[in-house]
Amino acid sequence: MNFIPTYALYGEEQAEEAEFFIHCETIASRSEKHQWRIRPHKHVRFLQILHISRGSCNSWIDGNDRRLGPGGAVVIPAGISHGYTFSPDINGHVLTVVADSAEQLFPDHQRIARWFDRPQLAELTDAGNDLDDLNIALQRFAAEYEQRRTGRSLSLDLQLRMILLEIYRQFHESGTPEPSSDTNIDSRLLRLSELINRHYREHQPAAFYAAETGLSLTHLNRLTRRAYGMPVSGLIARRVIQQAKRYLVFSAKPVQAVAFELGFSDPCYFSRYFTRHTGSPPRAFRQAQIAAMADQPY
């Protein structure tokens, strides 16, 4: 079996240590440096969207080959091996976001959020791509990403929500079949995810979620460890930290306000909680992320 390297972004060996929320670039900006070939690799922390507006590519997604032309779109979840060979006239965008972005942006629409957990690939349009809604949305996003306008972080967050929704819509309207996930275990984990999204600010104990899903805590923990590598308590903490990070990066709320928004009565305890789970105090995390987005290190 061939070794598949893991990158944050393709070709950046050191970037495994890095953390960022959003990155956007043209397909050509990176592939031209590599003679239009992106060798098979994978990302541990990131969800990636690729959209072709002109030109073509031969894609390799988790061992499967397919050629894509204008309107081609690929959704690559974290951990999925992928690679491309592009034509020299390629035009389009690659959008890279943290792996759980869909879950965070669509907390009340888990069917949409979970759709981004699987690789997706289709040609969404075959003509008029310059006027295609997804292409226009990505161009606007890229322009906002490159500029330093007031409210940039908020604008990127809002536009990202619309781009992910547009991708979901276009795939379904194109007739691309949606993978089935109707097993009993999947339905219970989906129910758990919905419950956590609804109640995580209340800091309910894991036993509450077990009761709501109709399972013993031991059984539910067994399912979550198998699916996510952590117990229910870990999923609850992860959701709290996810939302805390979004507030810290995409809002101007003071740390104290973020603490209250997330159901913490003591901001000092929130700071300790955040530091314990991330290794960084909230203010330091915010400063590092804003600096990273401003400097565009990727």
Side-chain angles (χ1 to χ4, degrees), residues 1-225:
M1 180 177 180
N2 294 331
F3 171 72
I4 303 295
T6 299
Y7 300 123
L9 294 178
Y10 182 79
E12 299 185 5
E13 301 278 1
Q14 78 284 1
E16 266 304 286
E17 300 298 323
E19 182 173 11
F20 62 89
F21 276 78
I22 296 175
H23 178 265
C24 185
E25 65 185 9
T26 64
I27 297 174
S29 65
R30 190 168 299 263
S31 62
E32 185 176 14
K33 299 175 185 176
H34 298 277
Q35 292 73 53
W36 310 108
R37 184 181 182 188
I38 303 298
R39 296 179 183 275
H41 64 288
K42 58 186 176 181
H43 312 287
V44 172
R45 301 174 183 162
F46 302 112
L47 165 70
Q48 200 163 69
I49 309 294
L50 180 144
H51 180 254
I52 300 171
S53 58
R54 187 179 68 234
S56 63
C57 82
N58 291 316
S59 67
W60 184 91
I61 312 297
D62 216 18
N64 298 310
D65 296 304
R66 179 165 171 182
R67 182 173 178 80
L68 290 173
V74 183
V75 175
I76 303 293
I80 299 298
S81 302
H82 59 288
Y84 309 98
T85 300
F86 297 104
S87 62
D89 63 339
I90 194 70
N91 194 17
H93 290 88
V94 180
L95 176 60
T96 306
V97 298
V98 289
D100 51 25
S101 290
E103 182 179 350
Q104 294 183 43
L105 292 170
F106 302 103
D108 298 322
H109 302 277
Q110 285 298 296
R111 186 178 183 85
I112 297 176
R114 292 303 176 195
W115 183 82
F116 288 91
D117 288 344
R118 294 180 173 85
Q120 315 284 350
L121 186 148
E123 285 193 3
L124 302 180
T125 56
D126 56 9
N129 294 292
D130 288 341
L131 300 179
D132 174 64
D133 288 342
L134 181 54
N135 187 40
I136 291 172
L138 285 166
Q139 288 180 7
R140 288 176 175 167
F141 188 93
E144 184 71 47
Y145 183 82
E146 294 292 336
Q147 297 172 10
R148 295 291 175 268
R149 301 176 63 189
T150 303
R152 174 175 178 262
S153 294
L154 176 59
S155 177
L156 290 174
D157 197 38
L158 294 173
Q159 289 188 57
L160 176 60
R161 188 190 305 265
M162 293 307 300
I163 286 172
L164 294 184
L165 179 58
E166 184 64 31
I167 290 169
Y168 179 80
R169 282 176 168 175
Q170 288 205 22
F171 265 85
H172 284 74
E173 290 169 1
S174 73
T176 304
E178 182 172 357
S180 173
S181 59
D182 295 329
T183 67
N184 192 40
I185 290 179
D186 281 347
S187 66
R188 289 173 177 178
L189 291 178
L190 181 61
R191 170 65 174 159
L192 174 62
S193 181
E194 292 170 344
L195 286 166
I196 291 175
N197 280 320
R198 189 180 307 156
H199 297 287
Y200 71 91
R201 288 181 171 88
E202 302 168 12
H203 301 274
Q204 297 281 3
F208 165 83
Y209 294 98
E212 290 293 313
T213 54
L215 299 171
S216 70
L217 182 55
T218 300
H219 189 187
L220 187 58
N221 276 329
R222 187 180 302 120
L223 295 182
T224 60
R225 283 194 173 97

